[in-house]
Amino acid sequence: MKAVATNPKTDKPLGFTVLRVPFFLEPEYPKGEDFEESNRDRLIRKWGGPAQFEAQKKRHRLKERGLEVGIQHFNLDRTASNTFASHRLVQWVTKTYGINKAEALYNELNHRHFEEGQKLNNRKMLCEAGEKVGLNSSDVETFLKSSDGTDNIVKAQQMLAAMQIHSIPTFIIGGSMVASGALHSAELEDIFRQIESSGEGAPQSVFQEALGIPDHVMEETMVFDGGSL
């Protein structure tokens, strides 16, 4: 997105609005904060044993892909837990503070979990992450103690099931184009350049209504180095 937004090829540059749709890799995990397991154990179980897991690692090349975008280390032994609370928090921030604040929080949570190994179902950590990106930690805690936004996430899960989306990453672009799998950034840039060259944009959204995102939030565009386009 940044490459296209900050280096337009036409007189109608694209702006990008990103919605993070909740997806649960382990939907059966208990929601209680006490439950946790090692991500290494989770993946070995998922792929059917240590040998199968090692083969899958080689196919995914997650470490190499991370290095390409400046992520020096993925913590394989990070703490896995239910992610409902963190997803719900990101949705609340999106609706309340907009997509740029939500993306800042999303990036902070990714850093804390994937690199530092922190548990996403830890309320104290979620409050600290919110404060790190400029939110009031007491407001975050009050929200997390509520059930606000739960219905929206349930609706989004029903839509994902109806669309037969069973894995991530999956990108739904402009409400119609679906790209899935661990795409290289160059592949996404090609898609965005095609949209740019059409001169029509791709403003539709599949999940706005289900997630309860206000229209004014959908009009906000991502801010990259050099400003918002």
Side-chain angles (χ1 to χ4, degrees):
M1 292 184 294
K2 179 179 178 181
V4 175
T6 59
N7 184 27
K9 302 297 185 183
T10 73
D11 59 357
K12 293 183 178 180
L14 293 182
F16 292 89
T17 302
V18 176
L19 295 184
R20 298 286 183 175
V21 180
F23 184 91
F24 299 98
L25 290 171
E26 300 289 349
E28 303 305 319
Y29 271 180
K31 289 183 179 178
E33 193 170 336
D34 291 340
F35 175 81
E36 62 182 55
E37 71 170 335
S38 161
N39 183 66
R40 186 190 299 268
D41 292 341
R42 181 185 78 84
L43 292 175
I44 289 174
R45 184 184 72 251
K46 175 180 179 179
W47 296 114
Q52 295 88 333
F53 169 52
E54 289 299 324
Q56 192 69 16
K57 277 173 59 180
K58 291 178 181 178
R59 284 193 293 270
H60 280 179
R61 299 183 66 252
L62 186 61
K63 178 179 179 180
E64 291 80 4
R65 288 176 178 271
L67 289 171
E68 290 176 2
V69 295
I71 300 174
Q72 298 300 316
H73 172 66
F74 281 103
N75 188 333
L76 179 59
D77 292 300
R78 58 188 177 271
T79 303
S81 63
N82 188 289
T83 56
F84 194 89
S86 58
H87 280 303
R88 197 165 61 87
L89 179 60
V90 169
Q91 295 305 311
W92 174 69
V93 173
T94 304
K95 288 183 278 191
T96 308
Y97 300 99
I99 61 166
N100 282 286
K101 183 65 72 175
E103 200 67 7
L105 175 63
Y106 196 83
N107 289 338
E108 177 67 18
L109 292 176
N110 279 343
H111 171 72
R112 287 171 177 259
H113 179 59
F114 289 104
E115 298 184 65
E116 296 184 352
Q118 296 183 33
K119 179 180 176 179
L120 285 171
N121 198 23
N122 182 292
R123 185 176 295 176
K124 182 174 183 292
M125 185 280 284
L126 294 173
C127 290
E128 291 173 350
E131 190 170 42
K132 180 73 178 290
V133 301
L135 303 175
N136 185 300
S137 62
S138 62
D139 290 344
V140 173
E141 184 171 13
T142 298
F143 169 76
L144 291 172
K145 288 179 178 178
S146 76
S147 61
D148 293 353
T150 296
D151 289 348
N152 296 117
I153 292 182
V154 171
K155 289 177 184 177
Q157 300 313 296
Q158 292 170 343
M159 289 184 64
L160 289 169
M163 297 169 70
Q164 297 187 348
I165 295 175
H166 305 298
S167 63
I168 54 173
T170 296
F171 305 90
I172 303 176
I173 303 167
S176 58
M177 290 171 284
V178 179
S180 60
L183 300 178
H184 194 280
S185 59
E187 297 175 85
L188 286 172
E189 183 175 347
D190 285 343
I191 295 172
F192 297 146
R193 289 297 184 193
Q194 292 173 26
I195 296 171
E196 180 187 49
S197 65
S198 75
E200 299 177 356
Q204 292 76 28
S205 172
V206 173
F207 287 93
Q208 178 188 358
E209 183 177 354
L211 291 173
I213 308 299
D215 288 341
H216 73 271
V217 171
M218 296 302 298
E219 293 170 1
E220 182 184 357
T221 56
M222 295 292 298
V223 176
F224 303 101
D225 293 344
S228 175
L229 295 174

